[in-house]
Amino acid sequence: MNNHQSTLEQTRLERGKHALAEIDGEAGEKVIEALADIAPDFSRYLLEFAFGDIYSRPGLGLREREIATIAALTALGNARPQLEVHIEAALNVGVSRDEIVETLMQMAVYAGFPAALNGLFAAKEVFADRSLL
């Protein structure tokens, strides 16, 4: 069992809140708060499904899950705000700056140079905010 996986006694919502805090910290909480006045049910679904069910599963650690998420969001090419949040999350769970850059560069092969470039520029902004440049 991964250290981020919770006990069976916890509800999906409790597991989700715990995982979100561990992964995204303050940035994740801001997303949940931003949804409160427009779609509070959606924030609950996000916590329960994405974080309580998927992120809390055994099999992959948080590092690997964030690398996969960065790759997927980069390949989508239209999710920069979420990509920035997950670059932050990757750093929070121990993914190095170099690993993030390599993941983004890998996307040039599968998602194209524009997607990789956009991802690299998103990472550059996050790295600058964290004094990692």
Side-chain angles (χ1 to χ4, degrees):
M1 178 158 49
N2 293 326
N3 66 354
H4 67 280
Q5 187 179 13
S6 52
T7 66
L8 294 175
E9 294 81 41
Q10 286 183 308
T11 67
R12 295 170 71 214
L13 184 60
E14 289 168 336
R15 282 193 314 269
K17 286 179 178 180
H18 175 75
L20 180 69
E22 184 177 357
I23 297 162
D24 288 329
E26 189 178 310
E29 192 56 42
K30 285 181 182 178
V31 171
I32 298 304
E33 289 172 8
L35 291 169
D37 60 349
I38 188 168
D41 287 343
F42 191 81
S43 66
R44 190 181 80 244
Y45 302 150
L46 181 64
L47 285 167
E48 289 176 340
F49 178 67
F51 291 94
D53 292 341
I54 302 301
Y55 268 92
S56 297
R57 290 179 52 80
L60 289 177
L62 294 178
R63 292 181 80 260
E64 293 80 15
R65 290 185 189 281
E66 285 304 327
I67 288 170
T69 302
I70 288 170
L73 291 171
T74 300
L76 283 173
N78 62 356
R80 183 173 176 144
Q82 293 79 15
L83 177 59
E84 290 175 355
V85 166
H86 284 281
I87 290 169
E88 288 273 358
L91 293 166
N92 291 344
V93 299
V95 180
S96 73
R97 177 188 179 277
D98 290 343
E99 289 171 314
I100 292 168
V101 169
E102 287 299 322
T103 300
L104 295 166
M105 290 175 60
Q106 180 75 16
M107 291 304 95
V109 176
Y110 295 98
F113 276 84
L117 282 168
N118 289 341
L120 287 164
F121 286 126
K124 183 177 180 177
E125 190 169 312
V126 171
F127 296 159
D129 289 346
R130 289 181 74 146
S131 301
L132 296 175
L133 281 182

